[in-house]
């Protein structure tokens, strides 16, 4: 089975349309899976404790037709968590957000947004990942990357990387601005980083 893994869309409809068209062209048989932060919360995290809101339009970017593109399952990101934290409404979209799981299993692999882990330093990067599988897909930093056995490797696009056996972390990059995604083949045990030209 092949999976097209995408995330950090941040409500960018145009970038998502371009990535979905690219996936449809390069791997039409693949199953779409999201790594979270599909939506952009427009309330800064500095103000989350100040007040709550009663409509989603006040707290998030929702371009016309964007929601219709989100036909695939996704784990929850920090943007969705913030939207949930500050909004009180019976809008069914809020219910959809609250049903997004923290992790998803793809056979032997796992998908998580990654904000739950320890990040920091300069440049800001992943310090420690708490994983339960040998192969984990995540996002959050908007930086495509591959960490095998705690060693970060320089990646090239369109080149399959073997992910069998080793403890592997795959950052699938961001749809917003970068138009990046990852193709995971669980029969060949490979991941291929992809980017819309
Ligand atoms: Mn994030």
């Amino acid at each position: 089975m092949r999976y097209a893994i995408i995330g950090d869309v941040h409500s960018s409809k145009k970038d998502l349309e371009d990535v979905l068209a690219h996936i449809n062209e390069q791997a039409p048989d693949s199953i779409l899976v999201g790594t979270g932060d599909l939506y952009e919360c427009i309330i800064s995290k500095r103000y989350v404790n100040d007040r709550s809101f009663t409509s989603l339009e006040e707290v998030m970017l929702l371009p016309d037709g964007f929601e219709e593109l989100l036909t695939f399952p996704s784990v929850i990101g920090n943007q969705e968590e913030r939207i949930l934290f500050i909004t009180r409404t019976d809008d069914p979209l809020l219910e959809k957000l609250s049903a997004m799981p923290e992790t998803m299993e793809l056979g032997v692999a796992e998908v998580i947004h990654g904000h739950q882990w320890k990040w920091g330093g300069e440049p800001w990067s992943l310090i420690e990942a708490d994983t339960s599988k040998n192969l984990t897909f995540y996002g959050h930093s908007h930086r495509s990357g591959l960490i095998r056995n705690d060693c970060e490797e320089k990646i090239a696009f369109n080149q399959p990387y073997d992910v069998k056996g080793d403890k592997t972390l795959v950052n699938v990059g961001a749809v917003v601005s970068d138009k990046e995604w990852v193709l995971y083949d669980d029969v060949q045990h490979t991941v291929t980083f992809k980017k819309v030209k």
Side-chain angles (χ1 to χ4, degrees), residues 39 54-57 60 62 67-68 70 80 83-84 87-100:
Y39 303 93
T54 53
S55 81
L56 287 171
E57 289 70 26
M60 67 197 286
L62 264 179
E67 188 52 27
E68 286 78 353
L70 302 175
E80 287 85 16
I83 292 163
L84 285 163
T87 319
R88 300 286 170 270
T89 168
D90 56 8
D91 191 312
L93 178 54
L94 198 67
E95 208 162 305
K96 182 183 157 186
L97 264 55
S98 72
M100 289 167 80

mmCIF file of all heavy atoms in Angstrom, residues 39 54-57 60 62 67-68 70 80 83-84 87-100:
data_model
loop_
_atom_site.group_PDB
_atom_site.id
_atom_site.type_symbol
_atom_site.label_atom_id
_atom_site.label_comp_id
_atom_site.label_asym_id
_atom_site.label_seq_id
_atom_site.Cartn_x
_atom_site.Cartn_y
_atom_site.Cartn_z
ATOM 1 N N TYR A 39 -5.527 23.600 9.575
ATOM 2 C CA TYR A 39 -6.121 24.938 9.650
ATOM 3 C C TYR A 39 -5.151 25.926 10.298
ATOM 4 O O TYR A 39 -4.274 25.549 11.064
ATOM 5 C CB TYR A 39 -7.398 24.889 10.487
ATOM 6 C CG TYR A 39 -8.437 23.922 9.983
ATOM 7 C CD1 TYR A 39 -8.483 22.617 10.466
ATOM 8 C CD2 TYR A 39 -9.364 24.305 9.025
ATOM 9 C CE1 TYR A 39 -9.448 21.722 10.013
ATOM 10 C CE2 TYR A 39 -10.327 23.419 8.568
ATOM 11 C CZ TYR A 39 -10.364 22.136 9.069
ATOM 12 O OH TYR A 39 -11.318 21.247 8.623
ATOM 13 N N THR A 54 -17.034 32.838 20.022
ATOM 14 C CA THR A 54 -18.245 32.058 19.782
ATOM 15 C C THR A 54 -18.460 31.725 18.304
ATOM 16 O O THR A 54 -19.465 31.125 17.943
ATOM 17 C CB THR A 54 -19.491 32.802 20.308
ATOM 18 O OG1 THR A 54 -19.488 34.111 19.752
ATOM 19 C CG2 THR A 54 -19.489 32.879 21.821
ATOM 20 N N SER A 55 -17.508 32.133 17.446
ATOM 21 C CA SER A 55 -17.629 31.701 16.050
ATOM 22 C C SER A 55 -16.247 31.351 15.511
ATOM 23 O O SER A 55 -15.236 31.948 15.884
ATOM 24 C CB SER A 55 -18.271 32.789 15.186
ATOM 25 O OG SER A 55 -17.315 33.752 14.827
ATOM 26 N N LEU A 56 -16.243 30.368 14.622
ATOM 27 C CA LEU A 56 -14.970 29.898 14.071
ATOM 28 C C LEU A 56 -14.324 30.940 13.174
ATOM 29 O O LEU A 56 -13.094 31.005 13.077
ATOM 30 C CB LEU A 56 -15.192 28.580 13.315
ATOM 31 C CG LEU A 56 -15.455 27.374 14.227
ATOM 32 C CD1 LEU A 56 -15.873 26.162 13.423
ATOM 33 C CD2 LEU A 56 -14.204 27.053 15.045
ATOM 34 N N GLU A 57 -15.127 31.772 12.515
ATOM 35 C CA GLU A 57 -14.586 32.806 11.624
ATOM 36 C C GLU A 57 -13.667 33.767 12.369
ATOM 37 O O GLU A 57 -12.740 34.324 11.796
ATOM 38 C CB GLU A 57 -15.717 33.605 10.951
ATOM 39 C CG GLU A 57 -16.512 32.837 9.900
ATOM 40 C CD GLU A 57 -17.405 31.734 10.478
ATOM 41 O OE1 GLU A 57 -17.811 31.855 11.659
ATOM 42 O OE2 GLU A 57 -17.666 30.757 9.767
ATOM 43 N N MET A 60 -10.149 31.404 13.036
ATOM 44 C CA MET A 60 -9.383 30.629 12.054
ATOM 45 C C MET A 60 -9.614 31.093 10.627
ATOM 46 O O MET A 60 -10.637 31.714 10.320
ATOM 47 C CB MET A 60 -9.738 29.141 12.172
ATOM 48 C CG MET A 60 -11.162 28.807 11.765
ATOM 49 S SD MET A 60 -11.693 27.186 12.367
ATOM 50 C CE MET A 60 -10.782 26.091 11.280
ATOM 51 N N LEU A 62 -10.696 30.275 7.024
ATOM 52 C CA LEU A 62 -11.522 29.267 6.368
ATOM 53 C C LEU A 62 -11.872 29.723 4.956
ATOM 54 O O LEU A 62 -12.990 30.184 4.709
ATOM 55 C CB LEU A 62 -12.820 29.075 7.163
ATOM 56 C CG LEU A 62 -12.901 27.947 8.177
ATOM 57 C CD1 LEU A 62 -14.249 27.956 8.867
ATOM 58 C CD2 LEU A 62 -12.627 26.595 7.528
ATOM 59 N N GLU A 67 -12.646 23.535 3.131
ATOM 60 C CA GLU A 67 -13.139 22.398 3.914
ATOM 61 C C GLU A 67 -13.441 21.184 3.021
ATOM 62 O O GLU A 67 -13.182 20.049 3.391
ATOM 63 C CB GLU A 67 -14.385 22.883 4.671
ATOM 64 C CG GLU A 67 -14.964 21.946 5.686
ATOM 65 C CD GLU A 67 -13.979 21.417 6.721
ATOM 66 O OE1 GLU A 67 -12.972 22.097 7.007
ATOM 67 O OE2 GLU A 67 -14.214 20.316 7.206
ATOM 68 N N GLU A 68 -13.962 21.464 1.815
ATOM 69 C CA GLU A 68 -14.326 20.394 0.883
ATOM 70 C C GLU A 68 -13.102 19.598 0.413
ATOM 71 O O GLU A 68 -13.226 18.462 -0.035
ATOM 72 C CB GLU A 68 -15.053 20.965 -0.335
ATOM 73 C CG GLU A 68 -16.492 21.416 -0.068
ATOM 74 C CD GLU A 68 -16.623 22.769 0.632
ATOM 75 O OE1 GLU A 68 -15.586 23.344 1.058
ATOM 76 O OE2 GLU A 68 -17.761 23.253 0.757
ATOM 77 N N LEU A 70 -10.676 18.730 2.369
ATOM 78 C CA LEU A 70 -10.169 17.922 3.482
ATOM 79 C C LEU A 70 -10.991 16.640 3.627
ATOM 80 O O LEU A 70 -11.751 16.466 4.564
ATOM 81 C CB LEU A 70 -10.191 18.734 4.778
ATOM 82 C CG LEU A 70 -9.385 20.033 4.735
ATOM 83 C CD1 LEU A 70 -9.566 20.813 6.025
ATOM 84 C CD2 LEU A 70 -7.902 19.753 4.494
ATOM 85 N N GLU A 80 -5.142 23.237 15.593
ATOM 86 C CA GLU A 80 -6.478 22.727 15.920
ATOM 87 C C GLU A 80 -6.698 22.745 17.431
ATOM 88 O O GLU A 80 -7.784 23.083 17.902
ATOM 89 C CB GLU A 80 -6.670 21.301 15.375
ATOM 90 C CG GLU A 80 -6.840 21.209 13.863
ATOM 91 C CD GLU A 80 -5.535 21.159 13.098
ATOM 92 O OE1 GLU A 80 -4.488 20.881 13.734
ATOM 93 O OE2 GLU A 80 -5.530 21.385 11.867
ATOM 94 N N ILE A 83 -7.524 26.297 18.459
ATOM 95 C CA ILE A 83 -8.885 26.650 18.030
ATOM 96 C C ILE A 83 -9.910 26.047 19.004
ATOM 97 O O ILE A 83 -10.838 26.711 19.451
ATOM 98 C CB ILE A 83 -9.135 26.167 16.583
ATOM 99 C CG1 ILE A 83 -8.277 26.968 15.600
ATOM 100 C CG2 ILE A 83 -10.623 26.271 16.226
ATOM 101 C CD1 ILE A 83 -8.123 26.332 14.220
ATOM 102 N N LEU A 84 -9.689 24.784 19.376
ATOM 103 C CA LEU A 84 -10.604 24.111 20.301
ATOM 104 C C LEU A 84 -10.589 24.762 21.682
ATOM 105 O O LEU A 84 -11.621 24.883 22.338
ATOM 106 C CB LEU A 84 -10.219 22.633 20.431
ATOM 107 C CG LEU A 84 -10.604 21.754 19.247
ATOM 108 C CD1 LEU A 84 -9.828 20.449 19.286
ATOM 109 C CD2 LEU A 84 -12.106 21.475 19.264
ATOM 110 N N THR A 87 -12.578 28.372 21.545
ATOM 111 C CA THR A 87 -13.865 28.562 20.882
ATOM 112 C C THR A 87 -14.985 27.770 21.547
ATOM 113 O O THR A 87 -14.818 26.589 21.852
ATOM 114 C CB THR A 87 -13.767 28.154 19.391
ATOM 115 O OG1 THR A 87 -12.534 28.610 18.853
ATOM 116 C CG2 THR A 87 -14.905 28.766 18.585
ATOM 117 N N ARG A 88 -16.109 28.437 21.748
ATOM 118 C CA ARG A 88 -17.306 27.784 22.286
ATOM 119 C C ARG A 88 -18.427 27.986 21.268
ATOM 120 O O ARG A 88 -18.991 29.059 21.158
ATOM 121 C CB ARG A 88 -17.731 28.426 23.622
ATOM 122 C CG ARG A 88 -16.671 28.343 24.708
ATOM 123 C CD ARG A 88 -16.544 26.931 25.297
ATOM 124 N NE ARG A 88 -15.376 26.819 26.170
ATOM 125 C CZ ARG A 88 -14.155 26.453 25.766
ATOM 126 N NH1 ARG A 88 -13.938 26.149 24.507
ATOM 127 N NH2 ARG A 88 -13.162 26.373 26.622
ATOM 128 N N THR A 89 -18.709 26.951 20.486
ATOM 129 C CA THR A 89 -19.787 27.028 19.496
ATOM 130 C C THR A 89 -20.271 25.626 19.173
ATOM 131 O O THR A 89 -19.519 24.645 19.370
ATOM 132 C CB THR A 89 -19.313 27.726 18.192
ATOM 133 O OG1 THR A 89 -20.287 27.533 17.162
ATOM 134 C CG2 THR A 89 -18.010 27.149 17.683
ATOM 135 N N ASP A 90 -21.503 25.523 18.686
ATOM 136 C CA ASP A 90 -21.987 24.184 18.311
ATOM 137 C C ASP A 90 -21.779 23.918 16.820
ATOM 138 O O ASP A 90 -22.359 22.992 16.253
ATOM 139 C CB ASP A 90 -23.449 23.976 18.723
ATOM 140 C CG ASP A 90 -24.365 25.052 18.151
ATOM 141 O OD1 ASP A 90 -23.892 25.856 17.323
ATOM 142 O OD2 ASP A 90 -25.551 25.086 18.542
ATOM 143 N N ASP A 91 -20.956 24.744 16.179
ATOM 144 C CA ASP A 91 -20.588 24.519 14.776
ATOM 145 C C ASP A 91 -20.030 23.101 14.617
ATOM 146 O O ASP A 91 -19.132 22.699 15.348
ATOM 147 C CB ASP A 91 -19.515 25.557 14.386
ATOM 148 C CG ASP A 91 -19.266 25.585 12.892
ATOM 149 O OD1 ASP A 91 -19.082 24.506 12.294
ATOM 150 O OD2 ASP A 91 -19.248 26.689 12.316
ATOM 151 N N PRO A 92 -20.589 22.325 13.654
ATOM 152 C CA PRO A 92 -20.115 20.938 13.493
ATOM 153 C C PRO A 92 -18.623 20.839 13.143
ATOM 154 O O PRO A 92 -17.999 19.811 13.421
ATOM 155 C CB PRO A 92 -20.979 20.386 12.348
ATOM 156 C CG PRO A 92 -21.752 21.524 11.796
ATOM 157 C CD PRO A 92 -21.739 22.639 12.783
ATOM 158 N N LEU A 93 -18.061 21.902 12.577
ATOM 159 C CA LEU A 93 -16.625 21.865 12.257
ATOM 160 C C LEU A 93 -15.784 21.749 13.533
ATOM 161 O O LEU A 93 -14.758 21.070 13.554
ATOM 162 C CB LEU A 93 -16.214 23.109 11.442
ATOM 163 C CG LEU A 93 -14.744 23.222 11.071
ATOM 164 C CD1 LEU A 93 -14.233 21.983 10.342
ATOM 165 C CD2 LEU A 93 -14.494 24.464 10.211
ATOM 166 N N LEU A 94 -16.244 22.393 14.601
ATOM 167 C CA LEU A 94 -15.514 22.305 15.866
ATOM 168 C C LEU A 94 -15.546 20.870 16.397
ATOM 169 O O LEU A 94 -14.549 20.378 16.937
ATOM 170 C CB LEU A 94 -16.110 23.272 16.890
ATOM 171 C CG LEU A 94 -15.197 23.603 18.083
ATOM 172 C CD1 LEU A 94 -13.977 24.392 17.644
ATOM 173 C CD2 LEU A 94 -15.947 24.350 19.160
ATOM 174 N N GLU A 95 -16.664 20.222 16.195
ATOM 175 C CA GLU A 95 -16.787 18.832 16.608
ATOM 176 C C GLU A 95 -15.840 17.938 15.802
ATOM 177 O O GLU A 95 -15.216 17.024 16.325
ATOM 178 C CB GLU A 95 -18.227 18.377 16.405
ATOM 179 C CG GLU A 95 -18.652 17.294 17.352
ATOM 180 C CD GLU A 95 -20.166 17.200 17.403
ATOM 181 O OE1 GLU A 95 -20.820 18.225 17.690
ATOM 182 O OE2 GLU A 95 -20.661 16.108 17.122
ATOM 183 N N LYS A 96 -15.724 18.260 14.513
ATOM 184 C CA LYS A 96 -14.811 17.512 13.647
ATOM 185 C C LYS A 96 -13.363 17.666 14.153
ATOM 186 O O LYS A 96 -12.607 16.699 14.215
ATOM 187 C CB LYS A 96 -14.936 18.032 12.201
ATOM 188 C CG LYS A 96 -14.062 17.290 11.202
ATOM 189 C CD LYS A 96 -14.150 17.886 9.803
ATOM 190 C CE LYS A 96 -12.907 17.523 8.999
ATOM 191 N NZ LYS A 96 -12.845 18.170 7.691
ATOM 192 N N LEU A 97 -13.015 18.893 14.541
ATOM 193 C CA LEU A 97 -11.666 19.134 15.065
ATOM 194 C C LEU A 97 -11.412 18.354 16.351
ATOM 195 O O LEU A 97 -10.336 17.799 16.549
ATOM 196 C CB LEU A 97 -11.462 20.634 15.328
ATOM 197 C CG LEU A 97 -10.774 21.462 14.242
ATOM 198 C CD1 LEU A 97 -11.466 21.340 12.906
ATOM 199 C CD2 LEU A 97 -10.694 22.920 14.656
ATOM 200 N N SER A 98 -12.433 18.319 17.206
ATOM 201 C CA SER A 98 -12.241 17.656 18.497
ATOM 202 C C SER A 98 -12.137 16.141 18.339
ATOM 203 O O SER A 98 -11.656 15.450 19.229
ATOM 204 C CB SER A 98 -13.361 18.026 19.464
ATOM 205 O OG SER A 98 -14.548 17.402 19.076
ATOM 206 N N ALA A 99 -12.577 15.640 17.185
ATOM 207 C CA ALA A 99 -12.489 14.193 16.945
ATOM 208 C C ALA A 99 -11.171 13.788 16.298
ATOM 209 O O ALA A 99 -10.903 12.594 16.102
ATOM 210 C CB ALA A 99 -13.658 13.751 16.066
ATOM 211 N N MET A 100 -10.330 14.771 15.956
ATOM 212 C CA MET A 100 -9.038 14.418 15.334
ATOM 213 C C MET A 100 -8.155 13.737 16.386
ATOM 214 O O MET A 100 -7.957 14.260 17.474
ATOM 215 C CB MET A 100 -8.342 15.678 14.795
ATOM 216 C CG MET A 100 -9.017 16.278 13.571
ATOM 217 S SD MET A 100 -8.413 17.946 13.176
ATOM 218 C CE MET A 100 -6.876 17.569 12.318
#
